Amino acid sequence: MDAFGDLRAHGSLFGSSALTAPWALHFVDGAPLTLCTVLAGGGWIVPETGAPEPLNAYDTVIVRGPGTFSFVDEVGTPAAPVACGEHCATPEEGGTRHRRGWHDPGDGATTLIVGAYPVRGEIGARLLDALPVVLRVAGGGTGDAVLDHLAAEVAVDAPGQQVVLDRLLDWMLVCTLREWFDRPGGEPPAWWTAQRDPVVGHALRLLHAEPAAPWTVGSLAGRTGVSRSTLAKRFADLVGEPPLTYLTRRRMALAADLLAERDDKTVAEVARAVGYSDAFGFSAAFKRVRGANPSEFRRAAAR
């Protein structure tokens, strides 16, 4: 089980190493997740809703869409914004990419790196639901080493640079989310903390890796090396529901994503992909969990 397994930057880079006050950048893409980190200098992230957040050197902020946000030198600055959506590709077209002034701007300037992330479907929604509109992680943590690599990479223009930057941004995103979930006094979701348990974490990884397998509590307990009663109690205590209830919801989320795709999978094919041998049994389970049968859900998703 990997909460971040589907997160990938795809050319999603806005970079500027020549921001000198007064300045303001307004990001209008409305990506589901946008990572903003400063290599030098500082400013303020101003979300469409919510309070502004300071962003200093080696700090990282993640903004949850679909609202837009701005990065400004001072809150209330009168500088005209740069609307990235007017100058860059949208995430659906391969990501935002706007590069400006990659020369050394000298002292006092700000270097900003931004990655926009498409997070689609039912599976990605679980991560988004666990996040506030804006979360901030100060420098000094595990992400600093990644930022050192980013600083070195943006200073050059070499073949393959976009791929390297995308992967570094992915790395930075995961480091930031892990630190935020594990922060002192934080309240991470149950599915996050449960992964650290040697028994329940193992069970979750099995259910996610093999959702179509004919799981029973007994077979899952056997794979995790504990009794049925131990697994059932421990799983319910940490995750908040029994193992097979969790599996059913996971299967229905996977099925919803498959039904929403436009690749003409039949209901029977979707049923088999999530562990049901016949379409009738799958349709009944899907309607019980989602409130609509698979065909109705597919038509609504298409609209």
Side-chain angles (χ1 to χ4, degrees):
M1 178 185 180
D2 189 347
F4 314 126
D6 296 328
L7 295 179
R8 292 290 185 275
H10 300 290
S12 301
L13 169 67
F14 180 101
S16 179
S17 59
L19 293 174
T20 52
W23 46 263
L25 305 176
H26 182 52
F27 294 86
V28 299
D29 299 288
L33 280 183
T34 306
L35 178 143
C36 308
T37 191
V38 167
L39 300 179
W44 291 81
I45 293 289
V46 183
E48 188 175 301
T49 59
E53 285 282 351
L55 192 58
N56 302 310
Y58 276 52
D59 289 352
T60 300
V61 162
I62 294 176
V63 183
R64 176 169 57 83
T68 64
F69 67 95
S70 298
F71 180 60
V72 299
D73 63 323
E74 295 289 346
V75 177
T77 183
V82 174
C84 188
E86 296 177 5
H87 304 291
C88 317
T90 63
E92 290 74 20
E93 295 171 343
T96 60
R97 182 173 181 174
H98 182 75
R99 302 182 63 182
R100 168 201 259 184
W102 290 89
H103 60 278
D104 182 0
D107 295 336
T110 292
T111 303
L112 174 68
I113 300 294
V114 174
Y117 288 82
V119 183
R120 300 182 178 91
E122 301 283 329
I123 301 303
R126 183 184 60 168
L127 174 61
L128 295 180
D129 289 344
L131 303 178
V133 174
V134 178
L135 68 89
R136 175 177 173 272
V137 172
T142 57
D144 281 12
V146 189
L147 290 178
D148 289 336
H149 287 294
L150 272 170
E153 189 62 31
V154 300
V156 300
D157 193 357
Q161 184 186 47
Q162 188 64 55
V163 174
V164 173
L165 288 170
D166 283 349
R167 299 294 74 80
L168 287 172
L169 287 169
D170 294 343
W171 188 6
M172 191 66 213
L173 177 69
V174 172
C175 288
T176 302
L177 289 173
R178 286 197 308 195
E179 288 200 26
W180 189 80
F181 279 137
D182 292 337
R183 71 197 187 281
E187 297 181 0
W191 56 261
W192 175 261
T193 55
Q195 293 179 78
R196 297 185 181 278
D197 183 83
V199 173
V200 177
H202 188 191
L204 285 169
R205 286 187 287 273
L206 288 170
L207 295 178
H208 281 248
E210 305 171 44
W215 291 111
T216 65
V217 175
S219 64
L220 191 60
R223 292 281 296 273
T224 56
V226 296
S227 68
R228 292 174 72 258
S229 58
T230 296
L231 175 64
K233 183 179 187 309
R234 203 154 166 175
F235 197 103
D237 287 346
L238 293 179
V239 180
E241 59 187 349
L244 297 189
T245 302
Y246 179 91
L247 174 61
T248 298
R249 287 199 309 105
R250 171 71 179 179
R251 284 173 168 174
M252 296 305 106
L254 289 170
D257 285 349
L258 290 173
L259 290 166
E261 293 175 358
R262 298 183 179 182
D263 58 1
D264 297 324
K265 278 189 176 68
T266 67
V267 172
E269 288 173 330
V270 173
R272 287 192 294 272
V274 297
Y276 288 81
S277 59
D278 67 275
F280 179 80
F282 163 68
S283 296
F286 191 90
K287 185 169 184 177
R288 184 172 63 251
V289 174
R290 305 306 303 251
N293 67 43
S295 297
E296 293 169 341
F297 180 88
R298 172 170 273 167
R299 287 193 293 269
R303 291 195 297 269

